[in-house]
Amino acid sequence: MHNLTEFLAKYKHWFLFVALEVLSMVLLFRFNDYQGSVWFTSANYVTGMAYEATSKVTSYLSMGTLNEKLTKRNVELEQQVRELSSKLYDKTKDSIYLQKGQYHFLSKFRLIQAKVVSNSLDRPDNFITINKGTWDGVRKDMGVACGNGVVGIVYMAGIHYAVVIPVLNSKSNISCSIQGRNYFGYLHWNGGASNMAYLDDVPRHAKFKLGDRIVTSGYSSVFPAGVLVGKIKHVYNSEDGLSYRLAVQLSTDFGNLRDVCVIDDASIREQRQVIKAAQDSIKPLEEQNATQGQ
């Protein structure tokens, strides 16, 4: 104890110096906007790098199991493609009809491939971090999907990383429809199981059945129409009894999410620009009316 006291007394000026340095740095970054933004950007970059390194190690360790699943899935998909191609040819008698349809659909937008470096499932407001940012063309409010369906919406984009609000977030609100039936509602997640969400505000006169697919409606400026979301598992009445609430089994496995793509759709970008221009043009009118009212 005596030695410790002597050590502290001998080097007390160094401890005081370090404490004052830490305090000054905290005050500098806490109460100065520019320095705070520089710190946030740098910290976000370092955190993203750490997440990416951890993700790479995890991906490497699970590669054997993942390869087995991919091989099995490829075999199943090849069988489905052969069956569907045969049925489609019987209907159309056109051997290249399927290729033409796929080309027409994919030509509408560009896909920015990305990897998930951070993900959570057990919170009311989960977030996903991906390893692509503005340098790669990722922007706020872009839709994010994977091979199985919808993932979420870009919330914030840095230079090399972006944060995504997934379906598994209480603030997520995606316009969806029942495929082939043109009835739509809004997809929400209220916590609980990571494979279930709810489609609210479906009209009472809507006709559908259990197992029908739920896809994006295309009524928002985020997702194009037709991106798979899941299938109807259960049907409930809304609290006011004026609409249906559909329990949707999500097609995306958020617990095993590794590869995603950000949808860069030119038509959606144009739609978003038109909406913003309309909002900007309305503001002066609202301000003018408010001034006249005074």
Side-chain angles (χ1 to χ4, degrees):
M1 187 66 184
H2 179 69
N3 292 336
L4 177 61
T5 304
E6 287 185 350
F7 175 80
L8 295 176
K10 183 178 181 181
Y11 295 102
K12 62 182 179 181
H13 55 285
W14 287 108
F15 291 116
L16 178 61
F17 172 75
V18 171
L20 291 175
E21 283 291 317
V22 172
L23 179 62
S24 64
M25 294 293 287
V26 171
L27 294 175
L28 176 66
F29 292 119
R30 177 65 180 83
F31 297 103
N32 293 275
D33 294 336
Y34 174 74
Q35 287 83 355
S37 64
V38 171
W39 167 258
F40 177 79
T41 303
S42 302
N44 188 46
Y45 179 76
V46 173
T47 303
M49 291 287 290
Y51 280 146
E52 184 173 10
T54 304
S55 177
K56 286 181 178 179
V57 173
T58 303
S59 298
Y60 178 78
L61 295 176
S62 61
M63 191 173 296
T65 303
L66 183 61
N67 284 338
E68 292 180 3
K69 291 181 178 179
L70 287 175
T71 301
K72 181 180 178 181
R73 182 61 177 163
N74 284 337
V75 172
E76 294 174 351
L77 290 175
E78 287 175 359
Q79 292 175 345
Q80 292 177 8
V81 168
R82 284 195 295 268
E83 293 174 0
L84 290 173
S85 297
S86 177
K87 292 179 180 179
L88 189 60
Y89 178 75
D90 292 338
K91 292 287 185 181
T92 64
K93 302 302 180 184
D94 185 353
S95 59
I96 62 172
Y97 182 88
L98 186 61
Q99 289 85 340
K100 289 190 296 186
Q102 288 177 341
Y103 174 79
H104 176 71
F105 181 74
L106 294 175
S107 65
K108 295 181 180 179
F109 48 82
R110 181 173 69 97
L111 300 179
I112 303 172
Q113 302 293 331
K115 286 190 175 296
V116 173
V117 298
S118 174
N119 188 13
S120 63
L121 302 174
D122 56 349
R123 305 169 187 171
D125 294 319
N126 295 291
F127 290 96
I128 294 173
T129 303
I130 59 176
N131 67 345
K132 293 294 175 68
T134 55
W135 185 269
D136 309 285
V138 177
R139 297 289 184 273
K140 177 179 170 62
D141 293 331
M142 282 185 169
V144 182
C146 67
N148 293 327
V150 165
V151 172
I153 301 172
V154 176
Y155 171 67
M156 180 187 298
I159 297 176
H160 301 293
Y161 297 90
V163 176
V164 178
I165 291 182
V167 173
L168 305 184
N169 187 300
S170 64
K171 297 179 178 61
S172 178
N173 186 33
I174 300 174
S175 177
C176 301
S177 63
I178 304 172
Q179 189 176 47
R181 300 184 186 273
N182 297 324
Y183 297 108
F184 73 96
Y186 294 92
L187 190 73
H188 300 103
W189 184 72
N190 301 324
S194 62
N195 65 336
M196 296 294 296
Y198 296 91
L199 190 67
D200 294 315
D201 302 326
V202 178
R204 295 285 297 184
H205 61 273
K207 296 181 179 180
F208 55 84
K209 63 180 183 298
L210 297 181
D212 278 356
R213 301 177 106 194
I214 302 299
V215 297
T216 54
S217 65
Y219 294 156
S220 68
S221 58
V222 178
F223 287 101
V227 182
L228 181 62
V229 175
K231 62 181 180 180
I232 301 174
K233 193 70 175 178
H234 300 289
V235 181
Y236 305 99
N237 288 320
S238 63
E239 292 183 358
D240 57 12
L242 300 178
S243 60
Y244 287 124
R245 190 178 204 223
L246 308 183
V248 179
Q249 183 174 348
L250 300 174
S251 58
T252 299
D253 183 1
F254 286 92
N256 192 32
L257 195 59
R258 295 289 182 271
D259 298 288
V260 298
C261 60
V262 182
I263 302 173
D264 184 10
D265 189 340
S267 63
I268 288 179
R269 274 203 316 273
E270 181 181 355
Q271 180 183 352
R272 193 179 297 122
Q273 291 170 358
V274 170
I275 293 174
K276 186 178 185 303
Q279 292 172 342
D280 292 340
S281 65
I282 290 173
K283 287 180 181 178
L285 295 176
E286 292 178 344
E287 294 174 357
Q288 182 180 355
N289 293 333
T291 303
Q292 291 176 353
Q294 295 175 353

